[in-house]
Amino acid sequence: MSRKSERLVNLTIALLATSRWLTKSDIYRTIEGYSGDLDAKERMFERDKEELRNLGIEIEVGSFDPLFEDEVGYRIRPEKYKIQISKLSETQFSLISLATKMWRDAVLGSQANTALLKMKSLGIESDAEELPLNPQRLDVSDENLLHIIDAISSRKVISFGYFNRDSISQDRAIEPLGVGTKNGYWYVAGRDLDKREIRLFRLDRFSSAVKDQGRAGAFETPEDFVMSDLLKSQAREKSCRIKVRTDKAHALRKFSTVISSEHDWDILDLSYASQDQLIRDLLWHRDDVVIVEPLELVADIKRALERIEAAHG
């Protein structure tokens, strides 16, 4: 979890759990992440309040005694919090438990385990074992992914370098809408500001760190946006036949079926989603892979190599 996300989670928990108004002094003293001089802390706190309000979290402002000019305090009333714990079903609690297991030590980190402990303290038990699902450990260690998740929640435009089909890095700017995995890769969906349409970007093709562009709340997520629908376009419904050196190109083998073996080569049927991505994957493994069929694919790869040579010399 990024430091900003962790600070926002801690601030939300503190304002929810308090039985009295929390002053800025209390917040700066007890919540890790507010550093620098007083002006820096003030700016950081104002940005955090705006982030939480953009997420639909209502922060109340008040004082200990309205008859005196006490220092202003803040709190979040549990009954006005967006997610009403008391209205969640047993199945929903079980899904929360399952999500915690899947994201442990990643985006949610210790905060998710703390949330489960809070639910237990309320006498609410969950039974994730009864769900017909297999929890998996997800690797979200890429700092770009954590940055993108923050940008989606705050609705900030982001920019980054991205390798095109000819392995040339281009600057892209998008309104990030969602993230998801398909075929072992992370994808981010967003409205490309140059192309003026929603596109998918594969995280391992980013050539630079993600940067914020502008303020929070800069765009609205389309009501008909569904990340899973976009990921369907990455389904591996096509196939080709290739020769792969023994014990090489393991990234391709997990999407392949071995047909036969001869000398130091294996013959594989490889499934793929798009030809552009297939060419990139094959070129990555250089002479450890030879195309058997279709023959048209050989010509396409030769043209791709010619474009790369022309661009890079």
Side-chain angles (χ1 to χ4, degrees):
M1 176 181 288
S2 68
R3 294 185 63 184
K4 185 183 80 170
S5 296
E6 186 173 356
R7 189 179 68 246
L8 287 172
V9 169
N10 290 336
L11 176 61
T12 303
I13 292 174
L15 295 177
L16 270 172
T18 182
S19 58
R20 63 176 181 81
W21 299 103
L22 282 185
T23 66
K24 290 181 182 179
S25 301
D26 295 328
I27 291 169
Y28 301 156
R29 185 173 61 253
T30 59
I31 297 177
E32 186 176 355
Y34 290 104
S35 57
D37 58 25
L38 184 58
D39 286 342
K41 293 176 181 177
E42 292 276 352
R43 291 193 297 271
M44 196 178 299
F45 180 59
E46 290 303 317
R47 287 196 298 267
D48 288 350
K49 283 194 301 178
E50 186 64 25
E51 293 264 8
L52 294 180
R53 284 171 177 147
N54 286 335
L55 292 173
I57 300 174
E58 183 178 339
I59 301 175
E60 289 193 355
V61 182
S63 60
F64 296 98
D65 191 336
L67 299 178
F68 296 92
E69 294 184 358
D70 294 328
E71 184 179 355
V72 170
Y74 304 86
R75 68 182 177 187
I76 299 172
R77 289 187 182 275
E79 62 269 20
K80 292 186 177 181
Y81 192 57
K82 192 171 184 180
I83 298 177
Q84 296 294 331
I85 293 178
S86 61
K87 295 181 180 179
L88 295 180
S89 66
E90 292 181 5
T91 300
Q92 288 170 321
F93 278 119
S94 297
L95 289 171
I96 291 174
S97 300
L98 180 66
T100 303
K101 288 183 178 181
M102 293 178 70
W103 291 81
R104 184 177 293 121
D105 300 329
V107 173
L108 296 183
S110 61
Q111 282 75 15
N113 293 314
T114 301
L116 287 182
L117 289 175
K118 286 181 179 292
M119 288 194 295
K120 280 194 172 185
S121 70
L122 295 173
I124 301 169
E125 295 293 338
S126 60
D127 190 7
E129 284 72 21
E130 292 301 315
L131 290 173
L133 298 169
N134 296 317
Q136 302 178 21
R137 194 180 184 91
L138 300 181
D139 179 13
V140 290
S141 57
D142 192 311
E143 286 296 326
N144 276 336
L145 178 59
L146 301 180
H147 196 143
I148 291 167
I149 291 172
D150 283 342
I152 292 171
S153 66
S154 59
R155 304 198 308 279
K156 284 184 180 179
V157 173
I158 58 173
S159 62
F160 50 88
Y162 193 73
F163 287 118
N164 64 14
R165 60 178 297 181
D166 299 323
S167 297
I168 299 172
S169 179
Q170 296 179 328
D171 292 333
R172 312 299 283 267
I174 66 169
E175 297 171 350
L177 303 175
V179 294
T181 58
K182 190 74 174 181
N183 302 323
Y185 299 108
W186 278 102
Y187 291 87
V188 54
R191 181 176 178 271
D192 190 309
L193 299 186
D194 288 331
K195 306 295 184 181
R196 298 182 181 276
E197 63 183 13
I198 295 176
R199 294 197 168 192
L200 276 178
F201 301 89
R202 216 173 85 175
L203 205 64
D204 64 332
R205 290 174 60 183
F206 281 41
S207 60
S208 70
V210 171
K211 296 179 181 178
D212 291 332
Q213 300 290 323
R215 293 175 159 273
F219 60 90
E220 295 294 331
T221 302
E223 292 184 2
D224 59 350
F225 171 76
V226 181
M227 186 68 192
S228 58
D229 288 348
L230 286 176
L231 290 175
K232 288 178 183 177
S233 66
Q234 303 304 307
R236 292 175 173 264
E237 298 175 343
K238 306 173 186 178
S239 65
C240 64
R241 184 158 293 188
I242 58 176
K243 288 174 61 175
V244 179
R245 292 187 194 276
T246 305
D247 293 327
K248 298 291 185 179
H250 295 289
L252 297 179
R253 289 177 181 272
K254 63 181 179 180
F255 303 114
S256 305
T257 302
V258 178
I259 303 301
S260 62
S261 298
E262 54 183 40
H263 305 299
D264 295 329
W265 295 87
D266 295 326
I267 309 297
L268 310 177
D269 271 350
L270 170 66
S271 61
Y272 64 95
S274 70
Q275 183 159 306
D276 282 352
Q277 190 56 56
L278 172 65
I279 291 174
R280 285 180 55 85
D281 291 341
L282 294 178
L283 290 177
W284 177 263
H285 296 285
R286 296 184 295 182
D287 58 355
D288 287 329
V289 175
V290 176
I291 300 167
V292 178
E293 59 182 35
L295 295 179
E296 299 83 31
L297 182 58
V298 177
D300 290 335
I301 286 185
K302 286 181 178 179
R303 284 193 288 270
L305 287 171
E306 289 170 358
R307 288 195 300 270
I308 291 173
E309 183 179 12
H312 297 284

